[in-house]
Amino acid sequence: MNMNPEEDFEEEEVELFEHFRIVIDKGQTPIRIDKFLSEKIANATRNKVQQAIDAGSIMVNGNPTKANYKIKPLDDIKVMLAKPPKETEVYSENIPLDIIYEDQFLMIVNKPPGMVVHPAHGNWSGTLVNGLVYYFENLPEMKGNSGRPGLVHRIDKDTSGLLVIAKTEEAMTDLASQFFHHTIDRTYLALIWGEPETDEGTIIGNVGRSVKNRKVMDVYPEGDQGKHAVTHWKVLKRLRYVSLIQCNLETGRTHQIRAHMKYLGHPLFNDAMYGGDKIRKGTQFSKYKTFVQNCFDLMPRQALHAMSLGFVHPVTKERVYFEVPLPKDFQSVLEKWESYVNFE
């Protein structure tokens, strides 16, 4: 039996879920797939495997399977399971959370700019997860709730907007499957430098880490490196030197919008990592330079906001949709640009 962690899944989710590929040996005797996987994969209970199967997260020879399927020699099995909690303790902190929606299975949080999503090197406290741990400690005990928040996806520290949090293993498995199969609708608003030649378009170009700087993602249009990425965009407002655009993600690669817009020649406003923290369009007048610097100071981050999320509720199976307006810093900068171009 050949069993290896998969390496061709979305970077955004690779730290939150375990991916395996198992090729069954020629001499394998028939056995139910749920029993087989629960015995072969560490921390995978039979119930957890069955939930993953119900969510479509386990494939046999490229097709969804059933729990009572009996594996055969040379079957090619792909598995996606939520990772078990790490042994390192996550400290509980009383951090205010902007909760847009909550039921016993999931919650929708509006993350402010500047907040890191989960603890990591250099950011062990003050994160969204620290706040969620405190919040969940003060909730009534619920069946299936481990007391730890379930991250299904992430957004960058300086990106504002919506995140869905799974409160039960069943919800986490189902939502992970929806992200993996690209059936979650995600809309972002971004302020970019310049005015695109057309009113809308689609960027198709692999996104992967830069060979020069591992913290930055590059676009590889030839597909020789990186991972498949698709961003649909359209212009909402043209403001001469900058434009407000809407982006809809078909995939969810790390820094996808930021890298794709730089590749298009329109980096995000004040995105230091991708060259947007310098004047890219406009005049040489000192008044203009002062105005732009004032905007940078007002919004000291990339102008990117996760505006909406739409998905199938993992339990009710109804389509749900959530939307939040631009945060104050983004809205203020946008209003300043509108005033500047109207009265210049």
Side-chain angles (χ1 to χ4, degrees), residues 167-342:
K167 292 169 63 176
T168 69
E169 192 171 285
E170 177 187 7
M172 192 168 192
T173 299
D174 188 277
L175 289 168
S177 178
Q178 292 188 57
F179 270 95
F180 178 69
H181 292 104
H182 311 308
T183 57
I184 296 227
D185 294 325
R186 288 177 284 176
T187 300
Y188 289 74
L189 294 182
L191 191 66
I192 61 172
W193 278 108
E195 293 188 292
E197 294 181 0
T198 59
D199 288 336
E200 60 183 55
T202 296
I203 306 171
I204 303 175
N206 282 21
V207 171
R209 298 204 177 274
S210 169
V211 295
K212 297 180 180 179
N213 182 353
R214 299 294 293 173
K215 293 182 178 180
V216 175
M217 308 302 284
D218 279 343
V219 177
Y220 300 93
E222 301 301 322
D224 53 333
Q225 296 185 58
K227 298 175 182 179
H228 179 64
V230 180
T231 303
H232 305 285
W233 60 270
K234 68 177 179 179
V235 177
L236 301 181
K237 287 184 181 180
R238 293 180 178 271
L239 299 170
R240 194 177 307 174
Y241 306 126
V242 295
S243 299
L244 180 68
I245 66 169
Q246 172 182 310
C247 295
N248 291 90
L249 297 183
E250 194 170 306
T251 55
R253 310 306 183 194
T254 300
H255 296 182
Q256 178 174 317
I257 293 174
R258 300 166 68 184
H260 268 176
M261 296 317 298
K262 178 187 178 183
Y263 171 73
L264 200 64
H266 300 282
L268 270 57
F269 186 79
N270 210 12
D271 189 347
M273 191 172 287
Y274 290 90
D277 60 338
K278 303 176 180 63
I279 293 177
R280 303 294 295 260
K281 298 288 181 181
T283 70
Q284 296 300 314
F285 297 127
S286 60
K287 178 183 176 182
Y288 176 72
K289 294 179 179 178
T290 299
F291 164 76
V292 173
Q293 186 59 53
N294 287 338
C295 288
F296 284 162
D297 293 340
L298 187 58
M299 183 172 57
R301 65 177 182 104
Q302 69 264 12
L304 186 61
H305 175 62
M307 181 181 73
S308 71
L309 273 175
F311 55 89
V312 174
H313 192 286
V315 177
T316 69
K317 301 305 178 184
E318 295 179 354
R319 192 81 188 174
V320 293
Y321 177 81
F322 304 93
E323 182 175 316
V324 288
L326 287 171
K328 185 177 180 180
D329 63 343
F330 199 142
Q331 185 62 44
S332 297
V333 167
L334 184 60
E335 290 171 356
K336 277 185 172 293
W337 273 104
E338 290 173 332
S339 296
Y340 186 87
V341 298
N342 287 333

Side-chain angles (χ1 to χ4, degrees), residues 14 29 56 59 101 143 148 158 181-182 184 255 278 303 311:
V14 73
T29 57
M59 313 284 282
Y101 171 84
K143 183 180 179 181
R148 286 289 186 90
D158 289 328
H181 292 104
H182 311 308
I184 296 227
H255 296 182
K278 303 176 180 63
F311 55 89

Side-chain angles (χ1 to χ4, degrees), residues 83-186:
K83 275 190 176 181
K86 292 184 179 180
E87 293 300 321
T88 53
E89 182 179 0
V90 178
Y91 293 102
S92 167
E93 295 182 73
N94 187 2
I95 299 171
L97 301 175
D98 185 4
I99 300 172
I100 303 303
Y101 171 84
E102 182 179 7
D103 60 30
Q104 67 187 103
F105 307 106
L106 59 86
M107 66 192 301
I108 306 295
V109 177
N110 183 20
K111 186 188 82 68
M115 177 184 277
V116 175
V117 172
H118 59 84
H121 181 69
N123 293 287
W124 295 112
S125 64
T127 74
L128 176 65
V129 165
N130 293 117
L132 287 170
V133 170
Y134 176 89
Y135 183 80
F136 283 130
E137 283 179 348
N138 290 272
L139 282 176
E141 190 69 28
M142 290 182 295
K143 183 180 179 181
N145 186 358
S146 66
R148 286 289 186 90
L151 289 181
V152 186
H153 63 133
R154 296 173 292 154
I155 55 178
D156 297 332
K157 171 186 174 183
D158 289 328
T159 297
S160 56
L162 294 178
L163 285 163
V164 57
I165 308 297
K167 292 169 63 176
T168 69
E169 192 171 285
E170 177 187 7
M172 192 168 192
T173 299
D174 188 277
L175 289 168
S177 178
Q178 292 188 57
F179 270 95
F180 178 69
H181 292 104
H182 311 308
T183 57
I184 296 227
D185 294 325
R186 288 177 284 176

Side-chain angles (χ1 to χ4, degrees), residues 6-35:
E6 282 287 83
E7 296 181 351
D8 59 349
F9 294 91
E10 295 191 9
E11 294 227 8
E12 185 178 62
E13 295 142 28
V14 73
E15 294 181 3
L16 307 178
F17 302 95
E18 294 179 304
H19 305 275
F20 301 95
R21 181 184 178 192
I22 302 171
V23 178
I24 304 302
D25 293 336
K26 291 182 179 180
Q28 176 67 49
T29 57
I31 183 175
R32 280 178 57 118
I33 191 170
D34 55 350
K35 184 176 187 298

